[in-house]
Amino acid sequence: MEVAYRFGYGLSYTTFEYSDIRLDAREIDAHGEVTVTFKVKNTGDRAGSDVAQVYVHDRGATIHRPVKELRGFKKVHLAPGEETEVSITLDRRAFEFYTPALHRWVVEEADFDILVGRSSREICLSAVVTVHSDETAKRFSPQMQIGHFIKDSRFADTLADEPQSRRDWFDPEKNAILPLGCAIPLGQFGDLDMGQGKLSQELLQKIVGDLNKRLC
C-alpha cells in the first residue's frame, strides 16, 4: 500500500543526489564485515541535511523475513553543490536474525542486497554481497516435506548408524517413490512398508530429533 510517510522519510529545503556505491568486499563469512561507501551531493541552492540509510534484503532466507531491514544510517550536512563520501560498516549483526525454533541468532548463507536510500521506499543505490555460513535457522519436523530432508547433507549423516535397508529407503536412486513424493510431509510415511522395511513413527521422530541436534 502507498503510505503518506514512509519509514525514514524527511523533508528538506534542498535536494540530494546519491551515487557511486562501492563495497570493500563482495564475499564475507558469517563473522566478517563489509563497508558500504557512496557519495551524497547537495544539488540544490540551499544548505541542508539528509540522513543516508542502508537497508539489507536477504535473498535466500529459509524463514520469513522483512523485505528490507535498516542496518545503518548517517546524517550529513552539505552546502549548495557540496559532495561528501559516506561509509557505513556492516558486521554480523546486520545479517543475523533470531530464530525461535533454535532459540538463538543465526546468519544463513545467502546473497544479500545492500540498499542505500533516503527512506525505505526511496532507494537510490544497490549492491550485492555474498555471506558464507554453515548456520541455519531451520528446525526440522515430521511435518516438513521429505524433499527438505533428502537435500540436506546432514540428513545422510544422521542416517549413518541406521541399517542399509533404511538408508536405501531415503536414497532417490534406490527408492523410485522418493522423486514422486518429495512434496509429502515426512511424517506421512510413518507406519508404511514401501518394500524396504517398515518406517515407524518412532523411527521418524528419532531421525528428526537426531538431525535437529546437529543444528545446535
Side-chain angles (χ1 to χ4, degrees), residues 192-207:
L192 294 180
D193 191 335
M194 306 304 296
Q196 290 173 289
K198 192 172 183 179
L199 295 173
S200 67
Q201 290 291 349
E202 290 76 12
L203 173 60
L204 294 182
Q205 290 286 354
K206 176 183 179 298
I207 292 173

Side-chain angles (χ1 to χ4, degrees), residues 67 69 165 199:
V67 176
E69 298 175 72
S165 61
L199 295 173

Side-chain angles (χ1 to χ4, degrees), residues 16-114:
F16 297 90
E17 179 181 84
Y18 287 60
S19 64
D20 298 338
I21 186 171
R22 303 190 312 275
L23 305 181
D24 69 343
R26 291 291 179 176
E27 299 184 25
I28 60 174
D29 62 30
H31 296 280
E33 295 182 343
V34 58
T35 297
V36 187
T37 303
F38 51 93
K39 294 179 180 178
V40 182
K41 183 177 182 179
N42 182 343
T43 55
D45 55 6
R46 297 186 181 185
S49 299
D50 205 29
V51 178
Q53 301 159 40
V54 176
Y55 296 84
V56 168
H57 166 66
D58 186 347
R59 291 186 178 183
T62 58
I63 67 173
H64 177 75
R65 296 189 67 177
V67 176
K68 302 183 190 80
E69 298 175 72
L70 180 67
R71 288 301 188 236
F73 59 91
K74 184 172 291 186
K75 187 174 184 178
V76 295
H77 184 82
L78 300 173
E82 184 182 3
E83 184 177 66
T84 189
E85 191 170 78
V86 176
S87 293
I88 296 177
T89 299
L90 305 178
D91 59 14
R92 176 185 170 89
R93 295 187 64 182
F95 305 102
E96 70 180 3
F97 59 96
Y98 187 79
T99 169
L102 298 177
H103 308 290
R104 61 185 174 89
W105 294 83
V106 300
V107 175
E108 293 187 310
E109 178 156 337
D111 289 334
F112 287 82
D113 291 314
I114 307 301

Side-chain angles (χ1 to χ4, degrees), residues 157-185:
D157 296 336
T158 303
L159 295 173
D161 294 332
E162 296 295 329
Q164 185 64 48
S165 61
R166 289 178 180 170
R167 297 201 301 273
D168 290 347
W169 200 99
F170 293 103
D171 187 340
E173 296 182 359
K174 297 180 180 180
N175 188 346
I177 195 174
L178 276 185
L180 302 176
C182 281
I184 299 175

